[in-house]
Structures are given as C-alpha cells and as structure tokens.
Amino acid sequence: MAKDRREATGKIRPCPCGLGLPYDECCGPLHGGQAAASAEALMRSRFSAFALGDAAYLLRSWHSATRPARLLLDPRQRWTRLEVLDTESGGLLDTAGVVEFRAHYREPGETGSVHERSRFVREHGHWVYLDGELS
C-alpha cells in the first residue's frame, strides 16, 4: 500500500522524484507493487525510496544478480532533489536502458550530490536496477 504523503496541513506534497505530481499518483503506486513503465520511471521511484527511507523497495527493485543481501540507509542523509540528465532506451519495448542522473543530498553540516549512469534491465518482465557507474 502506498504511503500517504500529506503534510500536517492536509495538503498533498509532491513526489520526491521531482516530476511535480502527488506521491500517490507518481512513485507511490510503484512502491506499492505496480510495475514501472520505463527505466526512468523505475530510477525516479528508487530516488523517492531513498528519500523516504524505503530500503525494502530498493532491494525489491534491484536485479537478483547484483542485489546486496541487505541495505542500510543513513537516517541523517536527506535526499533533496533529482536531476535526470540523459536516458538511453529503457522504454516500453526495450529490454535494457541507461539513465544518467544527479541526486542531491543534505546531511548534518554538509550538502552534496551523486552523479551516476545507472543500467536497468527487465527481469521477469519488470524493470530492475542492474548497476551504476559513479562519476
């Protein structure tokens, strides 16, 4: 079930992935079990999972050959913004795709970003994260 992303005021907050849609209409359904339509959609949902601290989703959306046994997220690290820089393939009829992105974070006393070219493939018909190259 998708997590409710309402602010204390009752206003629906936008999804962390940056598309400007409400979480329940964007990455929420993917976190709840819906399949991603593209490699980019999966990558955006994974960023949102990092932002929300959803390690279980990150593991479920990782290729079985490269998935770690467990994933510990640093609760002090806040993922604040995502920039999609480039995509190659990864669409409806593709079996592989690449998404290049920059993910911005904040932690006590520091801000920074991670720049990665991530590879995605289909496993059992669903998009999954295979691996990435940091730059």
Side-chain angles (χ1 to χ4, degrees):
M1 172 86 33
K3 297 177 185 174
D4 186 31
R5 296 285 298 154
R6 293 182 188 271
E7 295 178 3
T9 61
K11 180 181 174 186
I12 297 175
R13 287 190 267 176
C15 188
C17 81
L19 284 180
L21 297 171
Y23 172 77
D24 291 342
E25 296 174 21
C26 194
C27 293
L30 278 67
H31 293 172
Q34 180 179 313
S38 67
E40 181 180 336
L42 183 70
M43 189 279 308
R44 285 181 176 280
S45 74
R46 287 177 55 83
F47 174 84
S48 290
F50 273 106
L52 297 171
D54 190 347
Y57 177 77
L58 292 164
L59 290 170
R60 283 194 315 273
S61 61
W62 211 312
H63 192 280
S64 61
T66 57
R67 177 176 46 233
R70 61 183 228 198
L71 183 63
L72 299 175
L73 301 177
D74 184 348
R76 298 172 304 140
Q77 190 172 48
R78 299 285 180 227
W79 294 95
T80 58
R81 186 167 54 99
L82 175 67
E83 295 175 82
V84 175
L85 305 173
D86 190 30
T87 60
E88 297 172 15
S89 302
L92 186 62
L93 302 176
D94 296 315
T95 58
V98 174
V99 180
E100 180 179 1
F101 66 91
R102 183 172 292 113
H104 299 266
Y105 65 87
R106 183 179 67 239
E107 51 192 35
E110 179 183 352
T111 59
S113 65
V114 174
H115 181 200
E116 182 175 318
R117 285 184 61 80
S118 296
R119 293 190 310 156
F120 297 87
V121 296
R122 288 191 189 264
E123 184 175 50
H124 308 296
H126 299 283
W127 285 109
V128 292
Y129 171 77
L130 182 61
D131 58 22
E133 184 177 310
L134 295 172
S135 57

